[in-house]
Amino acid sequence: DAKTTQPPSMDCAEGRAANLPCNHSTISGNEYVYWYRQIHSQGPQYIIHGLKNNETNEMASLIITEDRKSSTLILPHATLRDTAVYYCIVRFHSGGYQKVTFGTGTKLQVIP
Amino acid sequence: DAGVIQSPRHEVTEMGQEVTLRCKPISGHDYLFWYRQTMMRGLELLIYFNNNVPIDDSGMPEDRFSAKMPNASFSTLKIQPSEPRDSAVYFCASARVNSPLHFGNGTRLTVT
């Protein structure tokens, strides 16, 4: 699986958009970008994923650059409950190969 | 669906004792993953199964660790004998092929 690079920490003011970057410069053509978050001591929670088009769901938006070497997760109106560690991973979508590894993530602190 | 269920939530044991962690995946999911999380090493993939068969156990730290999946609704991770450095939070996750992972709430293991 391709490696990802994320800033170790970020702050965001409550009510503002949180933009979390991820670099995945060695991503291959059939690898998807996934985002998860982990709120203190709970299991990681799936947020969103995409291949090359921008994606949006009720939780967040995912912007993937045209060359697919980086992406940004956007939380449009951050709340205190969004304080968590956010993980960006890349993952093959291939029938049998499903190994999923996590990096160190970005610790997002939403400030009142 | 109740989600991925792990038991126990907390386990405290003495060095040298056998520890068994349990996981019930979401019904219909054919992949099951075991992860270990520590402050020093982050979230590490230990092993994953497909249709109850272990596919990749390269993350299992040593022979003291073993994992089984006797049927589609149950998996165990066993440590024998346990050591203080095994203290960590152990997460189980399940998924359908090419779909997001769903994590349990973890088992916090303390070995004294």
Side-chain angles (χ1 to χ4, degrees):
Chain A
D1 290 341
K3 299 292 185 186
T4 62
T5 304
Q6 299 178 254
S9 64
M10 292 181 64
D11 290 340
C12 177
E14 188 178 18
R16 306 297 289 266
N19 296 283
L20 293 94
C22 180
N23 181 285
H24 32 79
S25 58
T26 60
I27 194 170
S28 62
N30 59 350
E31 285 186 303
Y32 282 67
V33 180
Y34 276 74
W35 284 83
Y36 290 79
R37 73 179 182 185
Q38 186 173 26
I39 296 171
H40 177 61
S41 77
Q42 297 179 19
Q45 174 192 25
Y46 165 76
I47 301 173
I48 197 167
H49 74 283
L51 182 63
K52 53 185 177 181
N53 297 320
N54 298 338
E55 302 288 344
T56 295
N57 63 20
E58 65 278 4
M59 291 182 68
S61 294
L62 174 60
I63 308 297
I64 303 174
T65 57
E66 191 169 343
D67 63 8
R68 303 207 324 120
K69 293 184 177 182
S70 65
S71 61
T72 301
L73 179 74
I74 300 173
L75 308 178
H77 306 286
T79 71
L80 298 179
R81 288 178 297 178
D82 293 322
T83 292
V85 177
Y86 288 77
Y87 296 98
C88 165
I89 65 169
V90 290
R91 177 188 172 192
F92 280 107
H93 272 199
S94 167
Y97 184 74
Q98 298 287 309
K99 187 171 183 175
V100 181
T101 56
F102 288 74
T104 53
T106 296
K107 183 174 176 55
L108 175 69
Q109 182 72 47
V110 180
I111 303 168
Chain B
D1 200 317
V4 176
I5 299 172
Q6 292 187 246
S7 64
R9 288 300 310 275
H10 302 275
E11 177 79 42
V12 180
T13 191
E14 292 183 347
M15 182 174 63
Q17 296 298 305
E18 178 179 295
V19 175
T20 299
L21 311 181
R22 297 171 176 80
C23 176
K24 177 179 169 55
I26 293 173
S27 178
H29 284 191
D30 42 15
Y31 285 87
L32 184 138
F33 304 78
W34 281 100
Y35 289 86
R36 176 174 71 175
Q37 187 171 37
T38 61
M39 289 292 292
M40 291 294 293
R41 301 176 67 91
L43 200 58
E44 301 175 275
L45 176 64
L46 300 177
I47 186 172
Y48 78 93
F49 295 81
N50 176 215
N51 292 326
N52 314 336
V53 176
I55 302 300
D56 188 328
D57 65 355
S58 59
M60 295 286 264
E62 48 197 276
D63 291 346
R64 297 184 298 107
F65 285 69
S66 62
K68 294 182 179 180
M69 193 165 185
N71 57 61
S73 59
F74 183 65
S75 177
T76 60
L77 178 68
K78 186 174 293 187
I79 308 172
Q80 166 62 20
S82 58
E83 297 181 3
R85 60 191 168 123
D86 302 331
S87 297
V89 181
Y90 291 80
F91 289 103
C92 174
S94 70
R96 290 192 177 94
V97 64
N98 298 337
S99 295
L101 272 63
H102 296 257
F103 283 80
N105 283 327
T107 295
R108 182 174 296 277
L109 174 65
T110 302
V111 183
T112 61

